[in-house]
Amino acid sequence: MKLKFIFLLLSVSLFAQENPAASFWKQLQQHCGNTYEGVITKDLGNDDFANKKLLMHVRSCNESEIKIPFFVGENKSRTWILRFKNNRIQLKHDHRKPDGSEEEITQYGGISTNTGLSNVQIFPADTETATLLPAAATNVWWITLDEESFTYNLKRIGREGHFTVKFDLSNPVASPVAPWGWETN
């Protein structure tokens, strides 16, 4: 009888544990509405980001989608779109022109291959990305999240180095105007 009780407790505790992707998702949702400043900690030599103010604005959140505009100086073209479905998280990159229309190369990204960790989600390039942008077919993006920081990372498999921008979650800053393609504030 004691053995059955122990198995019952173990099975209940296993099912009661939150899925790591769901835990990551809930933690990120806590930042909805906030804006944070970032710094590049690893660089791939992209001068487009050099000496520019970097901001992420966790602008839109619901149960299945979080949109995070990423501002690089005055460039308001980028939004990271995260979607949560079937205990997996998808990352897409939405790129817009100043008039709000989509850029030619947009909606690329990937989906986590498993539930990941509660503080790390990894997104290998998906088939849509490989078709749209063959040079990005081997891209792997990952996001780390803890109480103090959010990092967005990119590694191009087969190439040296990777890109990381780290945002300080302990210090919210004023929210910027709407990104391109969004209604104004």
Side-chain angles (χ1 to χ4, degrees):
M1 186 65 165
K2 285 184 181 182
L3 192 56
K4 281 185 180 179
F5 182 71
I6 291 171
F7 281 124
L8 177 63
L9 283 178
L10 283 173
S11 64
V12 168
S13 69
L14 287 174
F15 286 112
Q17 290 179 353
E18 188 169 55
N19 170 288
S23 179
F24 180 95
W25 193 258
K26 286 181 182 177
Q27 186 177 352
L28 184 55
Q29 284 181 320
Q30 293 174 4
H31 296 281
C32 199
N34 291 335
T35 300
Y36 304 100
E37 191 164 352
V39 296
I40 295 173
T41 60
K42 301 276 186 185
D43 194 354
L44 288 174
N46 184 347
D47 291 339
D48 292 344
F49 294 81
N51 302 314
K52 294 190 178 146
K53 188 173 193 173
L54 305 174
L55 297 175
M56 66 174 270
H57 181 192
V58 188
R59 187 176 171 97
S60 171
C61 302
N62 65 42
E63 283 184 25
S64 61
E65 186 174 81
I66 298 174
K67 292 183 177 181
I68 306 172
F70 173 45
F71 297 87
V72 179
E74 297 301 313
N75 186 316
K76 302 177 226 169
S77 66
R78 299 167 180 88
T79 298
W80 299 317
I81 300 175
L82 296 160
R83 294 186 179 101
F84 183 66
K85 184 178 177 182
N86 298 325
N87 292 319
R88 303 271 172 87
I89 299 176
Q90 177 188 56
L91 169 67
K92 288 291 184 173
H93 298 78
D94 183 359
H95 288 265
R96 302 283 170 157
K97 297 175 185 174
D99 68 3
S101 63
E102 285 191 338
E103 289 186 7
E104 185 177 329
I105 297 177
T106 188
Q107 304 305 325
Y108 60 89
I111 189 164
S112 59
T113 58
N114 57 38
T115 60
L117 299 172
S118 61
N119 63 340
V120 179
Q121 291 292 311
I122 300 171
F123 314 96
D126 57 21
T127 304
E128 181 181 3
T129 298
T131 302
L132 176 69
L133 191 58
T138 63
N139 280 9
V140 177
W141 296 271
W142 70 98
I143 294 173
T144 67
L145 178 64
D146 60 36
E147 292 180 13
E148 298 173 6
S149 65
F150 172 106
T151 68
Y152 166 89
N153 308 271
L154 165 62
K155 171 70 177 163
R156 293 188 170 123
I157 303 300
R159 296 185 189 171
E160 289 191 32
H162 70 276
F163 173 82
T164 298
V165 60
K166 182 176 183 178
F167 297 90
D168 179 3
L169 299 181
S170 69
N171 187 26
V173 298
S175 294
V177 297
W180 299 339
W182 292 60
E183 293 183 26
T184 59
N185 290 346

